[in-house]
Amino acid sequence: ATMDMNQLVTDMAARAAPFDQPNRLKWDLSAAQLLDLADATIAKGRETYDQVAAVTEPTFANTLQVIADYDSYAEVLGSMCTFPKDVSPDKEIREASTEATNRLDKANVECCMRFDVYEVIKRFSDGVGDLGGEQQRLLEKTMREYRRRGMALDEAERDQVKEIKEKMSELGTQYSTNSNEENTELEFSEAELGGLPEDFLLSHKTDNGVYKVTLKYPDYIPVMQMCSVSATRQRMEFAFNSRNNPANAAILEELIELRAKQAAILGYETHAHYVLETRMSKSPEVVKPFLTDLSEKLGPLWAQEEQALLGYKKAHCEEVGEEYVDALKNWDLQFYRYMVTVKDFAVNHEDIKQYFPLGYVTDQLLLIYQELLGLKFVEAEDAGGWHPDVRLFHVFNSDEEANLVGQFYLDMHPREGKYSHAACFGLQPGCVRADGSWQIPIAAGVMNFTKPTDQAPSLLKHDEVVTFFHEFGHVMHQLCSLAHYAEFAGTAVERDFVEAPSQMLENWCWTSEGLQRLSAHFEDPSRKLPDELIAKLVASKVANAGGLNKRQLVLGLFDQTIHSMPKADTAAVLSQVTSEILGLEMTPGTNMAASFGHLAGGYDAQYYGYMWSDVFSADMFESRFKKEGIFCLLYTSPSPRDS
């Protein structure tokens, strides 16, 4: 049946059936309907902003509240239009979703840059006292963002800023699309995959005896960690760090130039200054010393690790008859780091993964989060999702099962065209709607764990268990939010804090209690990860810490450097920073900036936030859970979410 998208938008705004239901999301729209929905949402947005622009006696109710009411359902409509580009199995739908994203982004820039609306809200702001609470915060943030969009500038400069913003949105979407559609496959013989376990070989063998390997994480990481043939690892590393190059490198370099140009028009020294003004850190003058001081402190540890890795490389080359070169190459790092965990810490991840079957880990992870947060999850019989693998869960307070807290989807396995990392997507913000009713939050946990087959179960490496715990922490952050306005819902906190809750929750995967709960041998679930293996695994947390943290610092400093320049040759800057911080050469012809999605997707000049928020996460864990036990919230209050 044909669905009228204008009527759909009207019904949602009015909460008419079926949009009085808690979950207002629809995933069965055709490509044409996606575009119609985007256009109808845009038309409703223009109508809303026209209404505010026409106000002669501005109040909170007839200005900011009107826009907030629109945002509460427009974000849901926007998710229906834009999320399919990251998850739909249908290329036509993904392409329509990409086009819908571009239209919505352009319209959003247009609305946010409307001078007539700004003038009305400014009149209200100038004449009002302290509103208190979230209303005051909404007003302050709105006026701050108007200033940062250049509303105090003349019309010609405002038009320039608008044009730049529209172009940046378009480029960011194109970068993301290129990344999602990347589908390189490399072919190898069995001999070229020497060192890889039997289950990996079985799942990658083709009918003609050739082994096909993709650049997705479930393929790439095992090859880089376990393949004893350096030529294979070299080929994989080159391909992996050449993904979407040169197309995405050119996009990122154009974005860098546009960001710098916008910052200059708005009166900021650099794009980094512009971005960090509203972050916890406040300025690059704080961030750069934070990163460089850390790098200096890690120097002695990394020097020791480098010598150990070279020692293992020399011994391995002698063992397999390869020529030894006294320098670490990029295709050496993961292989010899893995060797360190096996030989120095006696941790065999192939043995350990037998205790982490995906189904069991998922069940236990969900139980742990329910207990920690005082929640109850109930799986829906029909997920009504975008793919048959997708699962949907209803979330209730454990002591008030009548009240729905929210919902979440899980989409666990890689497929062509799907977002290739692990992430949480907020789909419906938890907030108060125009009629005063509560709109439940809905989020999706999108993962890329190996899919089980008839021949082999899906067994998670320990680092995948950590990733799962981290991303699900973001899902819970979305669902446990109780903000009044969509603007502040869920993970809409400062970008250099947003990782802290999830980073803290990773600790549950590094304690004996947590690992006992999460583990069960795939052949005999009564067998837990043995205490001896747990002790070794926990001890290995510090393995390669110097080099791994230095790698994060390379990415953070690269990000700060390119966003402190008017234009940048990303490959040259990345090569220079890698050399300065790690003392390593980047593989000639590669440029991982072409697949560094954070920098085109909202983390520009903010990648340092992972290291920054780690400080807060460590403090939160040490000050409460390390003292009282990781399950202490079970016994503290009837509503532990509030704690």
Side-chain angles (χ1 to χ4, degrees), residues 343-354:
K343 297 197 172 183
D344 293 4
F345 292 88
V347 171
N348 185 325
H349 285 284
E350 286 304 296
D351 290 344
I352 287 172
K353 79 177 186 182
Q354 314 296 317

Side-chain angles (χ1 to χ4, degrees), residues 81-339:
C81 294
T82 63
F83 184 51
K85 77 182 186 312
D86 292 303
V87 293
S88 175
D90 185 327
K91 184 161 184 163
E92 185 189 7
I93 297 291
R94 294 197 302 273
E95 287 173 349
S97 176
T98 299
E99 171 57 24
T101 301
N102 285 330
R103 292 185 192 180
L104 286 163
D105 285 348
K106 187 174 182 181
N108 184 51
V109 171
E110 176 195 305
C111 287
C112 290
M113 294 294 293
R114 281 189 57 166
F115 193 72
D116 54 353
V117 174
Y118 160 71
E119 286 185 309
V120 171
I121 295 175
K122 187 175 187 305
R123 278 210 318 278
F124 168 65
S125 176
D126 289 346
V128 75
D130 189 338
L131 298 166
E134 267 192 66
Q135 285 193 354
Q136 182 62 25
R137 184 159 183 240
L138 184 62
L139 175 60
E140 287 172 359
K141 187 174 180 185
T142 301
M143 293 309 296
R144 182 190 78 188
E145 291 310 306
Y146 272 134
R147 172 181 62 78
R148 286 166 51 79
R149 292 182 202 124
M151 287 301 167
L153 304 176
D154 63 37
E155 189 176 356
E157 288 174 315
R158 292 200 307 274
D159 286 345
Q160 263 188 292
V161 171
K162 181 182 172 188
E163 195 179 317
I164 288 169
K165 285 185 181 296
E166 288 174 350
K167 183 64 177 170
M168 290 194 300
S169 293
E170 192 182 306
L171 289 168
T173 301
Q174 187 58 53
Y175 186 108
S176 169
T177 299
N178 292 346
S179 298
N180 290 348
E181 296 296 333
E182 193 283 321
N183 59 359
T184 305
E185 284 187 328
L186 280 68
E187 294 186 350
F188 296 101
S189 66
E190 185 172 353
E192 288 174 316
L193 295 174
L196 282 153
E198 190 64 29
D199 63 341
F200 184 92
L201 296 174
L202 271 174
S203 62
H204 290 78
K205 191 173 185 178
T206 62
D207 293 340
N208 62 3
V210 169
Y211 295 81
K212 283 191 175 180
V213 180
T214 72
L215 300 177
K216 308 294 185 198
Y217 286 121
D219 285 4
Y220 179 72
I221 291 172
V223 173
M224 297 308 290
Q225 289 182 336
M226 289 182 282
C227 181
S228 57
V229 184
S230 64
T232 299
R233 298 196 312 274
Q234 182 175 357
R235 201 174 142 207
M236 284 288 284
E237 187 272 330
F238 183 88
F240 187 79
N241 285 323
S242 301
R243 288 172 300 161
N244 312 304
N245 192 34
N248 274 2
I251 289 173
L252 181 57
E253 286 168 12
E254 189 174 352
L255 280 168
I256 292 162
E257 211 168 324
L258 288 168
R259 289 164 179 166
K261 196 180 288 186
Q262 175 184 251
I265 294 168
L266 294 171
Y268 294 86
E269 190 179 333
T270 67
H271 180 65
H273 284 89
Y274 169 73
V275 169
L276 298 178
E277 176 189 43
T278 61
R279 299 295 174 251
M280 294 169 75
S281 60
K282 299 304 179 195
S283 80
E285 286 73 29
V286 172
V287 172
K288 283 188 178 174
F290 168 73
L291 296 173
T292 53
D293 288 355
L294 264 178
S295 181
E296 201 173 310
K297 287 170 182 168
L298 288 166
L301 179 58
W302 165 234
Q304 287 174 16
E305 291 174 2
E306 188 176 19
Q307 288 311 303
L309 295 174
L310 285 168
Y312 279 127
K313 180 178 178 179
K314 188 173 185 182
H316 178 73
C317 288
E318 287 171 2
E319 184 186 325
V320 299
E322 285 185 7
E323 182 187 352
Y324 172 68
V325 178
D326 190 30
L328 290 172
K329 302 295 184 183
N330 286 295
W331 56 90
D332 291 331
L333 292 170
Q334 291 198 52
F335 182 69
Y336 294 110
R337 280 175 182 155
Y338 190 75
M339 200 175 280

Side-chain angles (χ1 to χ4, degrees), residues 382-402:
D382 177 12
W386 48 90
H387 187 274
D389 289 345
V390 173
R391 302 169 71 187
L392 174 66
F393 292 82
H394 306 292
V395 179
F396 302 90
N397 278 319
S398 57
D399 56 345
E400 312 176 286
E401 289 183 26

